[in-house]
Amino acid sequence: MIKLTDLLRELDIRKGNLGQSFVNDDQLRESFFYNFDLMVDDNSPVDESKLNYNEISEVGDYKMIDPTDVIGNTKYLVKPSAKTWKEYIVGSVDVEEVSGKPYGLKGGQIVLTYISKPYRNQGLGALMYYMVLVHYENLFSDNILYEGSRAIWTNKIYPATQLGGFFGIETGGFYAPLTLEDAKNDKIMKMQDVVSYIASTNPSPQMIKLQDYLDGLSLSKGEYGIYTYKKSSEEFDELVSDSESLEDVMTDPDMIYHDIVANANPEAILVKASDVLFIVTKDMDLIPV
């Protein structure tokens, strides 16, 4: 059971109100020195040859590194051009490795981030999210998104997936693509069936197919909707073949409506029948995903 005090501390961190009794710049550096087995002072000159690390990512003036001699989830954002260790250690991010996701996806989920005071309000928290996405290729949000972290997802992560990538939600054992407007829509992310955001720079073939057929269609506006069919995939195939329109399919008594339904004149619907996910277009094309 999570203690209330622990939860409140975590809420403060995620909102950016970092309680000094819980984590601060000194503790960030102490953690860094401990994990890299350094016996140095904050103001000692930087000597990267003393560090054993894996480089996660490098963007501009910053690198994200992972200590090779420590088993853990914490990565560090550093500034190689810094003169002292105090300037070198910019921040940290805790990343949980995720597996067992739909379509066999593996990736990372950011749990906590911290940026030292001199480097705040420079977009470096967003940069850490981006670096984690680039490294893991698939990035999953957790099921609690606060204003600051959600803004990073919509303002930084979403654009990073728009050239051959995928941005959407996990729901019902599959993924559904989102427009930027959808991603910012509170109603969608609060729906019971929605597990998390998913961002990918290397989407699976199934995700590419979803993107190809549903790209640009708004879930929040009902330009496509999500449904479950009670019977088998073969029987759903027959239903679509016997139907003259999407309305005929959507109003079939064996179709289960979820929170995310199509409008009166959708471009497509996404339907799970047994273990098969189908896209049905306005032209009544049936595409198994």
Side-chain angles (χ1 to χ4, degrees):
M1 180 179 294
I2 299 176
K3 294 181 181 178
L4 178 59
T5 52
D6 291 339
L7 179 58
L8 290 174
R9 284 172 175 173
E10 185 166 339
L11 292 177
D12 283 342
I13 288 175
R14 293 174 186 231
K15 290 187 294 184
N17 302 321
L18 296 160
Q20 292 302 304
S21 62
F22 180 62
V23 63
N24 55 43
D25 290 6
D26 289 337
Q27 290 174 339
L28 168 67
R29 291 190 290 273
E30 287 171 8
S31 166
F32 184 92
F33 295 150
Y34 177 82
N35 284 329
F36 284 99
D37 196 23
L38 289 177
M39 299 294 290
V40 295
D41 183 77
D42 289 352
N43 294 311
S44 298
V46 172
D47 182 0
E48 279 197 321
S49 67
K50 295 181 177 181
L51 304 179
N52 293 320
Y53 65 85
N54 297 312
E55 183 174 312
I56 303 297
S57 180
E58 183 173 7
V59 178
D61 295 331
Y62 301 93
K63 286 195 301 190
M64 182 175 287
I65 62 175
D66 185 15
T68 57
D69 300 329
V70 176
I71 298 175
N73 298 327
T74 303
K75 328 295 182 188
Y76 294 93
L77 186 68
V78 298
K79 187 174 183 180
S81 63
K83 301 299 183 183
T84 67
W85 289 110
K86 186 174 183 178
E87 297 168 343
Y88 180 83
I89 305 164
V90 176
S92 66
V93 56
D94 285 2
V95 184
E96 290 185 359
E97 294 190 357
V98 177
S99 60
K101 288 290 186 176
Y103 314 137
L105 252 61
K106 298 179 181 179
Q109 182 181 81
I110 292 176
V111 180
L112 292 173
T113 62
Y114 182 84
I115 296 292
S116 64
K117 285 184 177 180
Y119 290 101
R120 292 181 191 173
N121 301 314
Q122 299 178 39
L124 297 179
L127 178 62
M128 288 201 295
Y129 271 75
Y130 174 76
M131 287 175 157
V132 172
L133 170 63
V134 170
H135 176 71
Y136 284 93
E137 296 185 340
N138 300 304
L139 182 61
F140 303 89
S141 71
D142 58 15
N143 56 6
I144 303 176
L145 278 174
Y146 298 98
E147 185 177 350
S149 58
R150 180 151 178 209
I152 290 174
W153 276 90
T154 56
N155 297 337
K156 183 71 176 181
I157 300 302
Y158 185 94
T161 63
Q162 294 309 290
L163 293 176
F166 181 95
F167 189 100
I169 52 172
E170 179 185 345
T171 178
F174 56 88
Y175 304 117
L178 297 181
T179 64
L180 180 57
E181 184 178 3
D182 290 337
K184 293 181 177 181
N185 189 295
D186 289 335
K187 180 181 176 183
I188 288 179
M189 291 309 296
K190 291 179 180 178
M191 289 177 177
Q192 185 175 358
D193 293 338
V194 174
V195 177
S196 68
Y197 283 134
I198 163 66
S200 178
T201 58
N202 185 23
S204 69
Q206 299 93 332
M207 296 163 76
I208 293 172
K209 188 177 289 188
L210 287 165
Q211 192 82 347
D212 287 344
Y213 284 95
L214 302 176
D215 185 41
L217 299 184
S218 172
L219 196 57
S220 58
K221 292 179 179 177
E223 293 172 351
Y224 81 96
I226 299 175
Y227 302 83
T228 299
Y229 185 65
K230 294 180 182 178
K231 297 182 179 179
S232 68
S233 56
E234 291 80 7
E235 289 170 299
F236 182 70
D237 193 338
E238 292 176 7
L239 170 63
V240 174
S241 298
D242 294 340
S243 300
E244 295 184 0
S245 67
L246 279 181
E247 183 179 2
D248 293 341
V249 177
M250 292 187 296
T251 56
D252 186 88
D254 289 314
M255 291 283 282
I256 300 174
Y257 288 74
H258 292 272
D259 292 332
I260 310 170
V261 297
N263 60 29
N265 188 30
E267 296 296 322
I269 57 175
L270 197 55
V271 182
K272 188 172 184 180
S274 298
D275 292 328
V276 182
L277 184 66
F278 292 98
I279 300 167
V280 189
T281 69
K282 192 174 185 178
D283 297 328
M284 301 303 291
D285 296 321
L286 181 66
I287 302 103
V289 177

